[in-house]
Amino acid sequence: MRTSERRGGVRDALIASGPVTIAVLLGILPVAILLVESVAPGPSIDNYVTATTPLYRTSLIYSLGMGVAATVTCLVVAYPVTYWLAHRCPASIRLPALIALTLPLWLNYVVLNYTWVWILARGGILNRLLVATGAVSEPLGLLFSDLSVFIGFIYIYLPYVVLTLYVSMERLDGRLIEAARDLGATNRRVVVDVVLPRTFPGAVAGAIVVYARIAGAYTTPEILGGPGDVMIATLVVEAFEQFSALGLAAALSMVFLLIVVVGFVLGAQLPPVRRELKRW
């Protein structure tokens, strides 16, 4: 029996070795190439010195700040929504409601961004509505600004946070909430003492992943952003395409990746968050 089990284990390892090797190479090889390119010719740290000059440092800080603001907003919106879905929504409409809330995941990313161009433009539907109702006397300049980029991020990435947080919210035992209310807890105490502690790991796990995607996004700032502050991904693309500065682009990418990895590792140090990430 042990011999057959050993042979079965070897066979399973051989079958899995091919896909695992391909997956590892696809994940590691591009990063390794970026690392080599970032110190070429040389090795030299000249590209990293340039990548930390005020121009690029300001863009990096702006990208990280936009990532924090959008991620926190997604969490603030997702908490009451997922609580309602998991504990207050009638079971008959729970699945349709979840599908409706995560609808952007089913649509093309570029199309979603251009939809907001149509909504936020001076002649778009939102400005027409505001002018028609008398809320404003003339169309507002909502498009091609930090606000339009922020709205685009919320719209596109909120469904990711809703899905990840919904899993944690669904595991929350509703009897704990009822017991807290029976003991005289106010709504605020129920949220602070019961809901948040038991769903916080899921929220952090989802926020870590979504934050990295927002801070490193290219398409949304390119379509909805203006000529002011630019995000780091835009500078990376410009370095590649306009200036053929492959080393600088690689160094910018590695600096951003390092910051994201450090944040991910720090977040994963919390045992509840680590357990939540393992469930993924």
Side-chain angles (χ1 to χ4, degrees):
M1 177 63 78
R2 291 182 178 178
T3 302
S4 62
E5 290 178 352
R6 191 180 302 112
R7 289 176 179 174
V10 172
R11 183 181 65 252
D12 293 343
L14 290 174
I15 293 174
S17 61
V20 170
T21 301
I22 294 174
V24 170
L25 288 176
L26 289 175
I28 295 178
L29 187 59
V31 176
I33 293 175
L34 280 177
L35 179 59
V36 171
E37 189 65 38
S38 69
V39 296
S44 170
I45 63 170
D46 292 345
N47 291 321
Y48 285 94
V49 172
T50 304
T52 55
T53 55
L55 170 64
Y56 298 107
R57 189 167 61 245
T58 300
S59 179
L60 180 61
I61 293 173
Y62 173 73
S63 300
L64 297 175
M66 179 65 78
V68 170
T71 302
V72 170
T73 302
C74 286
L75 285 173
V76 170
V77 175
Y79 254 103
V81 170
T82 53
Y83 176 80
W84 176 80
L85 275 174
H87 299 284
R88 290 292 182 265
C89 177
S92 59
I93 65 170
R94 184 171 298 154
L95 181 58
L98 186 60
I99 292 175
L101 289 168
T102 57
L103 190 61
L105 298 177
W106 301 69
L107 302 175
N108 183 274
Y109 183 79
V110 175
V111 172
L112 292 175
N113 283 290
Y114 275 110
T115 299
W116 282 101
V117 173
W118 175 65
I119 294 174
L120 298 176
R122 286 188 176 274
I125 185 173
L126 180 58
N127 269 313
R128 290 182 182 179
L129 181 62
L130 292 175
V131 172
T133 57
V136 296
S137 59
E138 59 182 21
L140 302 176
L142 302 174
L143 191 58
F144 306 131
S145 63
D146 291 344
L147 176 62
S148 59
V149 173
F150 182 77
I151 292 173
F153 280 143
I154 299 302
Y155 178 69
I156 291 170
Y157 291 103
L158 179 60
Y160 291 94
V161 180
V162 168
L163 280 179
T164 55
L165 189 55
Y166 175 75
V167 174
S168 296
M169 197 68 71
E170 193 177 33
R171 289 198 296 261
L172 175 64
D173 192 344
R175 292 174 298 181
L176 296 176
I177 298 175
E178 297 302 325
R181 294 188 188 281
D182 290 341
L183 293 173
T186 62
N187 290 334
R188 186 178 68 86
R189 298 309 308 176
V190 169
V191 172
V192 172
D193 295 337
V194 179
V195 177
L196 286 179
R198 286 162 178 78
T199 58
F200 181 73
V204 173
I208 289 174
V209 176
V210 170
Y211 169 75
R213 292 176 63 87
I214 294 175
Y218 172 74
T219 304
T220 299
E222 187 69 13
I223 295 175
L224 299 177
D229 293 322
V230 296
M231 298 188 69
I232 193 67
T234 302
L235 296 182
V236 171
V237 172
E238 288 181 354
F240 267 119
E241 295 184 349
Q242 298 184 17
F243 306 108
S244 298
L246 305 184
L248 175 58
L252 287 170
S253 302
M254 292 304 300
V255 169
F256 176 76
L257 178 62
L258 177 62
I259 293 174
V260 170
V261 169
V262 169
F264 183 87
V265 171
L266 291 177
Q269 293 305 307
L270 299 172
V273 175
R274 189 160 56 247
R275 287 194 297 269
E276 190 70 25
L277 289 171
K278 288 180 178 179
R279 291 193 180 102
W280 292 15

